Amino acid sequence: GNISLGYDGFIKNNNKIFTHSKSINSLNSFNLLGGCDISKKKRDLFFKIYKKPVFDNIDISLSKLKPYLVILSTPTDTHLNCVKILSKYKFIKILVCEKPLSNNLEEAKKIIEICKEKKIKLFVNYFRISDPSTQMLKKIFVKKTDIFGSLYYSRGYFNNCSHYFNLFENIFGKFKGGKIIGNYKKYKKNDFLFNFYAKFGNAIIFFFYKNNKFDQFKFDIFYGQNRLKYRKNGRLILNIKNNRPIKQIKNLANIYQLNVYKELLKFLDKKNYYLCSGKDALKTINNMYKILNDKKI
């Protein structure tokens, strides 16, 4: 997928890092061993950029490379089968899995069980948790009440909207319920598009879908006389009072994927870190299913 290689494959500027491959290759503490993909086109591109071994078979790639850390960035409905293969190899100690963990709640639980049984530390790539802006936003809203917001998403309830669902759980606190507004549409094989609202801690957020192929990364949060404006995939975050910006929230959205691996290094060094664990990702999926089950989709 693009998050593995495509978004920044030929961007030489190290101030823009949007993929797993470039992130790993940019850090001296990691060694990019190789890649694996069923697509010859993607294998050729990987080799052209990184000059590392690349394979078309998971078992062969793992047997030859023997990685300590594996990044799983395959289509969501293949995650469980891939994890079953990975779990056979005792040298794998850390797994970074693309979001969502699964579109199926029972499959997500099974992935958690396998990783726990095989003592594989599981993280899920909700990369906004690793951006410094998230911790700053938590401090802004920690004692606030009567918080309302609106958000636009595209490309699937699980696939894309889960990014923000997970983010709001992190910023505002415990999910307290939600409901679908109006009708829903199917999105691809195992996903949906619909408008809904959800309550997290003291915040009520309305989610609206845009039915197009491009991501709509924007939301607004209102509290008291203030408004938080989140634009450009988090590259622009403004705290506004009486229609005047009072503060721009620091962020590192230009290296959003690299942030994850810098936090992973903190985990390895036994320092405080900001990553989405498998357990937290499962909680996100479970809460999203509560909204679906309310509509009996």
Side-chain angles (χ1 to χ4, degrees), residues 38 75 88-89 92 115 119 129 133 151 155 275 282 289:
I38 59 173
K88 297 186 298 183
Y89 297 91
I92 298 173
C115 289
K119 297 181 179 179
I129 304 306
S133 63
L151 175 145
R155 297 199 302 124
L275 294 166
L282 178 61
Y289 259 95

Side-chain angles (χ1 to χ4, degrees), residues 1 4-5 21 32-66 71:
S4 283
L5 180 68
S21 299
L32 181 62
L33 296 178
C36 180
D37 202 292
I38 59 173
S39 165
K40 184 178 185 304
K41 182 179 179 180
K42 291 180 180 179
R43 293 197 305 272
D44 290 345
L45 180 61
F46 179 86
F47 184 78
K48 182 176 182 180
I49 297 171
Y50 296 107
K51 303 297 186 293
K52 300 286 185 177
V54 62
F55 305 86
D56 62 1
N57 179 279
I58 297 179
D59 280 299
I60 293 174
S61 66
L62 294 175
S63 297
K64 287 185 176 293
L65 299 176
K66 295 181 172 57
I71 301 156

Side-chain angles (χ1 to χ4, degrees), residues 5-23 26 50 235 252-259:
L5 180 68
Y7 288 142
D8 60 14
F10 291 103
I11 298 176
K12 294 183 180 180
N13 185 349
N14 281 331
N15 290 323
K16 294 183 179 180
I17 302 179
F18 309 135
T19 63
H20 295 289
S21 299
K22 190 172 182 180
S23 297
S26 298
Y50 296 107
R235 294 192 300 277
L252 294 174
N254 59 309
I255 53 169
Y256 61 76
Q257 197 56 65
L258 182 63
N259 297 332

Side-chain angles (χ1 to χ4, degrees), residues 26 32 57 88 105 108 121 143 164 166 189 193 213 218 243-244 258:
S26 298
L32 181 62
N57 179 279
K88 297 186 298 183
L105 187 56
K121 184 66 177 178
K143 293 183 179 180
Y164 297 101
N166 179 270
K189 185 179 179 181
L193 287 168
K213 65 180 181 179
K218 64 180 181 180
N243 293 321
R244 291 186 176 183
L258 182 63

Side-chain angles (χ1 to χ4, degrees), residues 11 42 60 81 89 126 131 143 210 213 242 251 261:
I11 298 176
K42 291 180 180 179
I60 293 174
N81 285 334
Y89 297 91
Y126 287 114
D131 193 287
K143 293 183 179 180
K210 291 285 189 179
K213 65 180 181 179
N242 296 326
N251 66 80
Y261 292 100

Side-chain angles (χ1 to χ4, degrees), residues 227-281:
R227 174 171 66 130
L228 185 87
K229 187 175 179 180
Y230 186 104
R231 297 291 187 272
K232 299 181 180 179
N233 195 16
R235 294 192 300 277
L236 178 64
I237 308 174
L238 296 174
N239 203 2
I240 298 170
K241 186 173 183 178
N242 296 326
N243 293 321
R244 291 186 176 183
I246 56 175
K247 185 177 182 180
Q248 183 165 345
I249 307 299
K250 180 183 177 182
N251 66 80
L252 294 174
N254 59 309
I255 53 169
Y256 61 76
Q257 197 56 65
L258 182 63
N259 297 332
V260 172
Y261 292 100
K262 287 185 175 181
E263 292 299 315
L264 187 57
L265 286 175
K266 293 180 185 178
F267 162 75
L268 291 169
D269 288 337
K270 298 182 180 179
K271 298 177 182 178
N272 290 333
Y273 61 90
Y274 298 108
L275 294 166
C276 180
S277 67
K279 183 179 178 181
D280 286 340

Side-chain angles (χ1 to χ4, degrees), residues 51-97:
K51 303 297 186 293
K52 300 286 185 177
V54 62
F55 305 86
D56 62 1
N57 179 279
I58 297 179
D59 280 299
I60 293 174
S61 66
L62 294 175
S63 297
K64 287 185 176 293
L65 299 176
K66 295 181 172 57
Y68 183 89
L69 160 69
V70 169
I71 301 156
L72 179 60
S73 183
T74 58
T76 304
D77 59 3
T78 69
H79 285 177
L80 177 57
N81 285 334
C82 289
V83 170
K84 287 178 178 178
I85 295 171
L86 297 172
S87 68
K88 297 186 298 183
Y89 297 91
K90 293 183 179 180
F91 46 73
I92 298 173
K93 301 300 181 183
I94 300 175
L95 173 61
V96 176
C97 181

